[in-house]
Amino acid sequence: MKLSEIKDKKPLVFNYANYVTPQFVANVVNVIGGSPIMARELEEFPDLVAASDAVVINSGTWRRSELLETIKLAQLANQAGKVVVLDPVAVGIPSRSLPVVALMADAQIDIIRGNAAEIAWFAGVDFSSQGIDATGNGDVRKIALLAAEKTGAIIALSGKQDVISDGHTTLTIDVDVPLLATNVGTGDVLSALIGTYNGDGISIENTMRAMATMKLAGVKASKKVKTPGYFVNQLLDELYLLSENELDAFINGGGIHD
Ligand SMILES: Nc1ncnc2c1ncn2[C@@H]1O[C@H](COP(=O)(O)OP(=O)(O)O)[C@@H](O)[C@H]1O
Ligand SMILES: Cc1ncsc1CCOP(=O)(O)O
Ligand SMILES: [Mg+2]
């Protein structure tokens, strides 16, 4: 949906969040105009999925004992026709790959948002990483396209260059904002923004708008402040203040490439 529609409809975004960044994620969904809720209690899933417009599963601090519950959550969302976004934090670490494989075998994941190393894992391409961060270099367009073909999901690959691919259409946002990489959680936030924008229907266009929103807010914040602490607060303010017209101008003004 468009930014103005988010402000109108206030999509409810159910975040199965990691325990590192939930406050940041909830605030970003809130300032953009959506409505966040965090939960991880199985008994609550049917009610919460029914009420939600999107379900965002972040595997960043997943315990094995939560796997079956999370699969159930994704299945409930599938049955209710709600978009499911997966943020597969550090999925390339072998012990982290197994539960993600299990989830994807038993439920449909509509959109996968990860950094280049995480998406490269789905593509079957080698890409250096250190813990939660991508550290290597590679052809990120090709990696996103391959990952989309292999998973059937829309791929939202983030980094210096953002790439969105559904296996047919591949878009890139090529804008370097190093400060966006200085706060832990910007990736988690982006995944929740993607859920918010896809709350009324899953599309590459909605996914691109979410990524452009984050990038543009980052560009604006980095013009005003130069250090990580101020930046994270300025980023929240820029997300809050962002208008539909500014976003359209960014998207149509050469920020996005085929
Ligand atoms: N060097 C960079 N230049 C511009 N934007 C970046 C850069 N690194 C990360 N970002 C942005 O930061 C956000 C989080 O992406 P990323 O750091 O790849 O995720 P994660 O935190 O999951 O590793 C995205 O909006 C992405 O575009
Ligand atoms: C540090 C850390 N450890 C497990 S999840 C997590 C946060 C990851 O956040 P992001 O991928 O958005 O930087
Ligand atoms: Mg991440």
Side-chain angles (χ1 to χ4, degrees), residues 87 89 113 118 188:
D87 186 327
V89 181
R113 199 295 311 167
E118 290 156 353
D188 305 335

Side-chain angles (χ1 to χ4, degrees), residues 102 104 151 160 203 256:
M104 293 190 64
T151 61
K160 185 172 163 183
S203 73
I256 316 289

